[in-house]
Amino acid sequence: MGWYLGYFIIYFAAMFGIGFYYFRKVKSANDYLIGGWSMGFWPIVGTVISTWCGASIFIGTVGLGFNVGASAYIRFSLASIIFTLILLLVFAKALRRQKLYTLADLFGSRFGPSVGVIPSLLSAVVYAIPTTAMQFLAMATIWTACFGMDWSMALILSFVLVFAFTVLGGLPGTIITDALQAILIVTGIVILAGATVQFAGGWDQLMAKTPPEYLSAAGPYGAKEVALFFLSVGPFYMVWQSSWQRIFAAKSETVSLRANTLGVVVCAFIFICPVVIGIACRQFLPLDTKPDLIFSIVTKDMLPPYIGGLIYCALLAALVTGADSFILQGSSNLTHDFYRQMLNPKATNKQLMTMSRLTVLIISLGALWVAFNFDGIIAIYQWALRLTATTLVLPFLATMCWRRTTKKGCVAGMLMGLVGTLFWPYLGISMDQTIFGFICCAVGLFGITLMTRHSDSEYVAAVLWEDLPTAETRIENHDY
């Protein structure tokens, strides 16, 4: 316990020191939520790595590798990498040029503020709250494993620590601490991967003893099952608000593209480690071990405390940075898309800062409620990703590439994708839920667009090569 406590005290002392620094430095909602469009290359690289390596990687992917072997990388990691690279290489420069805050901001600027309501709610409620809850759940396993803490108290402690840091520093504090934590995260996951391989008898023994289906890309359940999982996860990453925030926060289009791309490529290699850990653990843990507990079992029971404490700090770094990023994502949706765009268009900077910190509390409390009522990290995450993707990906692509897209068509696509995905379990059809949701969205989007005309509230443009008015107005007014 002494090693663990010492590591944790040092870690949180450093985190809150940085948080207090930015609490005093950040003076505008623009800086608090989007970093003032001024962050440099290496801070962006670091925050991409840290944000990606949260509970879904340290806890979820380790468990997924334990259950399905090497195919876990294709199902989850490769899916997220490929679709994020599409976002960066095809759309990032155009998006950065618009000087936006959120995905809902894109729809609102193109079709009118009311169209941003659905993506804003999805981002804040369906994604940000459950994924923040995932980080709380994973942090709680640390407090219970290391200190024998009651589960309820462990969740509350996780909430208090994450909320306190997030409300202090905003996105600038998050990005700077992320850049520093990236080194700790990478070091921790690599050490743990090496340790588990040694516990399994070394690499040669691991390969020899692992059943072939757990080393196959098709996995134990076949290629179709892997492909459907891939489809349920991957497309979401084109509309992931955390990636958009990092695109917008960079000080230039060039820095945005290069730094974000490098961060994602580094993650592609890092993500091999949790899969290896999961496969190796099959050699020395009971096969009925609960997947979400594998990380803590190995770290606490099989590593010496001076190593285990470092690994736990790496996990804490991943969880804190993931949680504060997701909270700020939801906060930016509620503050900018709802409060400023719809309730108080003439809000002062002081009012926006107050609302920003209030919405941080709202998202954090919502996540705490979810954490008390649900568990299963990959299940929560896959559900949030699927619902968001089937509702928003096709409207996003149409907004960027098809000038003909109308307001009514965009709204119809979102609503039909959302309703189709939600009601699929009650329809008794054999078609995969994700495919069904995309089909519903496509029917609404393209069918209604072809039947309607542009409304007066639209600014007609294919945003990939035509700028919105925000591209000019916000360059001139950085206090917006």
Side-chain angles (χ1 to χ4, degrees), residues 176-406:
I176 295 301
T177 54
D178 283 1
L180 298 174
Q181 291 179 115
I183 300 172
L184 179 60
I185 291 169
V186 173
T187 301
I189 197 72
V190 170
I191 290 174
L192 188 60
T196 54
V197 170
Q198 290 304 309
F199 293 149
W203 187 259
D204 292 339
Q205 283 285 93
L206 176 61
M207 293 295 101
K209 291 182 178 180
T210 301
E213 62 268 25
Y214 284 89
L215 299 177
S216 165
Y221 304 110
K224 180 180 178 181
E225 198 266 348
V226 173
L228 291 175
F229 198 108
F230 181 100
L231 185 62
S232 73
V233 169
F236 162 82
Y237 282 88
M238 296 182 68
V239 294
W240 188 24
Q241 181 64 35
S242 290
S243 289
W244 284 47
Q245 280 184 307
R246 273 87 189 143
I247 290 170
F248 300 152
K251 64 182 180 181
S252 70
E253 291 178 24
T254 300
V255 169
S256 178
L257 176 61
R258 292 179 179 177
N260 278 281
T261 301
L262 178 59
V264 171
V265 171
V266 171
C267 287
F269 290 97
I270 296 172
F271 291 172
I272 296 172
C273 292
V275 178
V276 170
I277 293 168
I279 295 173
C281 287
R282 293 181 60 85
Q283 304 303 315
F284 53 82
L285 291 181
L287 296 182
D288 61 352
T289 301
K290 188 177 180 181
D292 287 356
L293 297 179
I294 291 173
F295 184 98
S296 287
I297 291 172
V298 174
T299 302
K300 181 175 182 293
D301 296 343
M302 304 186 71
L303 294 175
Y306 60 89
I307 299 292
L310 179 64
I311 301 298
Y312 272 129
C313 264
L315 174 58
L316 268 178
L319 299 177
V320 170
T321 189
D324 57 34
S325 294
F326 302 141
I327 291 169
L328 287 168
Q329 168 182 331
S331 175
S332 65
N333 291 129
L334 297 179
T335 301
H336 180 71
D337 302 329
F338 277 99
Y339 179 71
R340 192 188 191 288
Q341 294 280 48
M342 303 188 69
L343 299 180
N344 190 4
K346 297 182 179 180
T348 65
N349 182 67
K350 182 178 180 180
Q351 289 173 319
L352 290 172
M353 282 294 295
T354 300
M355 184 57 60
S356 297
R357 291 190 164 113
L358 176 61
T359 52
V360 164
L361 176 61
I362 292 171
I363 297 295
S364 301
L365 288 173
L368 182 62
W369 180 86
V370 171
F372 269 111
N373 289 278
F374 298 92
D375 61 7
I377 285 176
I378 283 294
I380 293 175
Y381 199 54
Q382 189 180 12
W383 178 84
L385 268 57
R386 177 190 294 119
L387 187 61
T388 305
T390 56
T391 304
L392 298 181
V393 169
L394 291 180
F396 161 67
L397 293 175
T399 300
M400 297 300 293
C401 304
W402 193 31
R403 206 171 189 270
R404 176 69 176 83
T405 307
T406 65

Side-chain angles (χ1 to χ4, degrees), residues 15 18 39-51 171-186 246 317 321:
M15 290 286 289
I18 294 172
M39 305 308 295
F41 181 88
W42 289 111
I44 295 293
V45 173
T47 191
V48 169
I49 295 171
S50 297
T51 301
L171 191 64
T174 297
I175 287 179
I176 295 301
T177 54
D178 283 1
L180 298 174
Q181 291 179 115
I183 300 172
L184 179 60
I185 291 169
V186 173
R246 273 87 189 143
T321 189

